[in-house]
Amino acid sequence: MTRWVMVADLDRCVGCQTCTAACKEANGTPPGEQWRRVLDMEVGEYPDVRRAFVPVGCMHCDDPPCMAVCPSTATRRRADGIVTIDYDLCIGCGYCILACPYGARYKSEHPRFAYGGGPTEAERKRFDARRLGVATKCTFCVDRVDAGTEAGLTPGVDPEASPVCVNSCIAAALHFGDIDDPQSNVSALLSGNRHFRMHEALGTGPRLYYLWH
Amino acid sequence: MERIGPWLQRSWDRRAAGNFIAGGSGSGLAIVAALDAFWSGDPKPAAFAVAASLIALGLLLVWFEIGRPWRFLHVFFHPQTSWMTREATLAPLFLLALAAAAWSGPSTGSGWALAALAAFLAFAFLYSQARILRAAQGIPAWREGALVPLFLATGFAEGAGLFLALFALSAAIPFTGGPFTGGPFAGGPFAGGPFVAGLALAAILAREIAWRAYRRSLAHRGAPKGALEALKAIDLPVLFLGTLAPFFLIAAALAFPRAAGLLALAGGVLAVLAGWLIKAVVVTRAAFTQGFALPHLSRLAPAAGGKSARPGWS
């Protein structure tokens, strides 16, 4: 069995937002929608204050609250753990946005572009009217994962089969792989380092792991 | 502006609040009207008609809010786990049961059975509304378990208040006839008046208890500061205008039959408005998101002593 997860090394992340930009470019999300983003958090108290750069997005939870509340069954979870949205089923009620404790879901009613009125060439190419008025979120670049797997590539190892945020990371802070494979990159990282997940107490089983040393 | 601490959700606005307000009052009114009918033996069709209209109005408001309104039938696709599907399914069933009860008439056993079924469906609808919010894990003020009894109690209080207000009002208008005959405490056909007043008093007290329990539980578990402040801001209006004033006005209506109509009207309206205020604030102003948090800081900030960073929380 395959279960895709993402690992973010907080000691490596420098907060450059390259993953954010890569995600936006690849998915053509409108202004204000960032399926992948990096929080710049300040922790501690003066004089011992530190900054922590924390990548966030859809956690592709084991028990996704967005899926349970969805009245239309548009939100589903695949066998490999990737949580998807069927844009043709979604009614845009926004309930899943409120059910997600990670602020990972968005809804745009109208087309919006980076520079006012018209789309740029890249925005025009990636514009998808099916995404208007419905919920959207990070897909773990499911199309790349599926196409790569079909071509015999290994997601998380081969860039062609990996999420673009992982490929773009300049510090090798983001990793993607199969947690059920004990030999995988992510299994090695998780077994060799201390890690946590965001809001674990809520019982959602998020599959974005944070390493801390 | 980067969002790290909890932020106020903008996905559901006044239209969604309107569904909880109208649907809650409507289902509460249907339950109270059914209880009154069983108690007095004299069903008030107008009360049921108003209840059905309110529930339909609430769902219409939601329809105006969804991004793809012409796909509304998809809302029925997920009864296994979605309380929104269950709420949407119960509404037409309630309306059907009500229509069948009206068609059968109060003189038949099946009419009474269908009225009882409609009341049960109205209760299930009210419960579903409360569970819709409870299931929204991203909003701490909604996922709090004590919100369910609060929404049930205020639904009953609003229903009883609305019932009293409606019939006090109808009694004050001389030319109204048909279903609006009789005043709440004027005797005659409206024998259930004191019974409904008793229900209202109990529901108003229950709501105050549930409101205090909800706020206490939320503060105890920890919640976004903005949510606690929004709820605190209406605490005194809820206590004085939503509990004490309607309680004493309705109790006075029982004690002073000559002024019963006016007292019941004022008490009923206040009982309803307080419930609407609570729901409007819970849905639109206390609805802060979870925000983000780091559970372990011993390396990132040694002086924090391993405490977690949870900006914006109590």
Side-chain angles (χ1 to χ4, degrees):
Chain A
M1 198 67 186
T2 299
R3 278 198 309 143
W4 302 118
V5 303
M6 200 168 275
V7 174
D9 188 334
L10 296 186
D11 280 350
R12 278 180 171 265
C13 182
V14 295
C16 66
Q17 305 284 356
T18 306
C19 54
T20 304
C23 173
K24 188 166 271 295
E25 197 279 335
N27 294 295
T29 56
E33 268 189 34
Q34 291 177 203
W35 292 356
R36 164 74 59 235
R37 60 198 179 108
V38 181
L39 305 177
D40 185 347
M41 296 182 76
E42 189 177 272
V43 296
E45 287 179 13
Y46 177 84
D48 188 29
V49 180
R50 298 285 188 278
R51 288 172 81 186
F53 300 109
V54 185
V56 294
C58 176
M59 304 282 174
H60 294 270
C61 301
D62 287 327
D63 187 9
C66 53
M67 185 173 79
V69 302
C70 175
S72 67
T73 66
T75 294
R76 291 178 191 166
R77 186 170 172 274
R78 305 194 332 171
D80 60 9
I82 295 179
V83 176
T84 61
I85 300 173
D86 185 334
Y87 299 137
D88 295 325
L89 271 181
C90 180
I91 61 172
C93 64
Y95 195 7
C96 56
I97 297 172
L98 303 167
C100 173
Y102 305 101
R105 287 180 167 240
Y106 301 87
K107 186 174 85 169
S108 288
E109 297 285 355
H110 308 289
R112 286 180 293 129
F113 303 106
Y115 299 102
T120 63
E121 187 60 18
E123 284 175 326
R124 193 183 57 76
K125 280 182 180 167
R126 285 175 170 70
F127 180 74
D128 183 354
R130 292 185 315 147
R131 295 205 315 223
L132 292 176
V134 300
T136 66
K137 68 167 190 72
C138 158
T139 64
F140 263 2
C141 287
V142 65
D143 293 342
R144 296 172 64 86
V145 170
D146 286 350
T149 307
E150 248 179 58
L153 303 174
T154 306
V157 175
D158 297 304
E160 295 85 352
S162 304
V164 292
C165 56
V166 173
N167 291 340
S168 69
C169 183
I170 63 165
L174 285 176
H175 305 269
F176 184 78
D178 178 9
I179 198 173
D180 279 358
D181 175 5
Q183 308 301 320
S184 73
N185 54 343
V186 291
S187 294
L189 281 168
L190 293 175
S191 63
N193 296 283
R194 287 193 289 182
H195 53 83
F196 68 90
R197 294 181 287 174
M198 189 80 76
H199 305 325
E200 277 196 280
L202 294 178
T204 56
R207 289 189 301 121
L208 171 49
Y209 291 80
Y210 296 100
L211 300 187
W212 62 292
H213 305 293
Chain B
M1 177 98 181
E2 190 169 54
R3 290 167 163 177
I4 294 175
W7 62 89
L8 192 59
Q9 66 84 17
R10 301 283 180 200
S11 295
W12 283 3
D13 59 17
R14 291 172 187 173
R15 290 167 291 187
N19 178 42
F20 290 102
I21 286 170
S25 287
S27 51
L29 177 60
I31 297 165
V32 170
L35 291 173
D36 163 72
F38 285 112
W39 178 266
S40 66
D42 174 30
K44 315 290 187 300
F48 287 107
V50 171
S53 303
L54 282 171
I55 288 175
L57 172 67
L59 294 176
L60 184 67
L61 288 172
V62 171
W63 186 76
F64 282 124
E65 180 151 56
I66 63 178
R68 296 282 187 156
W70 299 112
R71 294 181 187 169
F72 68 94
L73 288 175
H74 295 189
V75 80
F76 299 110
F77 286 1
H78 203 196
Q80 298 91 332
T81 62
S82 176
W83 284 100
M84 186 178 276
T85 296
R86 293 167 186 170
E87 182 213 31
T89 306
L90 286 162
L93 292 178
F94 162 75
L95 295 175
L96 277 175
L98 205 56
W103 184 75
S104 297
S107 58
T108 63
S110 60
W112 286 102
L114 286 164
L117 177 64
F120 172 76
L121 291 169
F123 176 79
F125 179 88
L126 180 61
Y127 181 72
S128 296
Q129 283 209 326
R131 292 300 299 268
I132 283 176
L133 294 182
R134 174 85 171 83
Q137 285 226 41
I139 310 292
W142 295 359
R143 67 171 184 247
E144 169 57 50
L147 187 69
V148 175
L150 173 62
F151 266 52
L152 292 178
T154 194
F156 280 113
E158 290 161 40
L162 198 53
F163 189 92
L164 289 178
L166 273 177
F167 283 90
L169 204 60
S170 70
I173 303 171
F175 52 80
T176 53
F180 286 113
T181 51
F185 310 107
F190 202 110
F195 170 70
V196 175
L199 278 182
L201 293 176
I204 288 167
L205 275 184
R207 177 172 67 190
E208 182 62 30
I209 293 167
W211 166 249
R212 308 234 149 258
Y214 167 66
R215 287 193 57 214
R216 194 168 49 246
S217 182
L218 201 58
H220 176 70
R221 288 177 199 270
K225 289 175 188 168
L228 297 177
E229 284 165 10
L231 297 171
K232 187 182 177 188
I234 60 163
D235 191 42
L236 287 180
V238 167
L239 175 63
F240 286 104
L241 297 175
T243 301
L244 295 177
F247 187 88
F248 285 113
L249 284 167
I250 294 169
L254 284 168
F256 304 106
R258 282 175 182 273
L262 193 61
L263 291 167
L265 174 65
V269 166
L270 283 176
V272 173
L273 291 181
W276 291 3
L277 176 67
I278 289 172
K279 288 178 192 170
V281 168
V282 167
V283 174
T284 63
R285 294 177 62 187
F288 282 80
T289 62
Q290 178 78 21
F292 295 98
L294 290 177
H296 299 291
L297 300 178
S298 54
R299 165 65 191 276
L300 296 167
K307 290 180 191 168
S308 62
R310 211 178 192 192
W313 277 66
S314 61

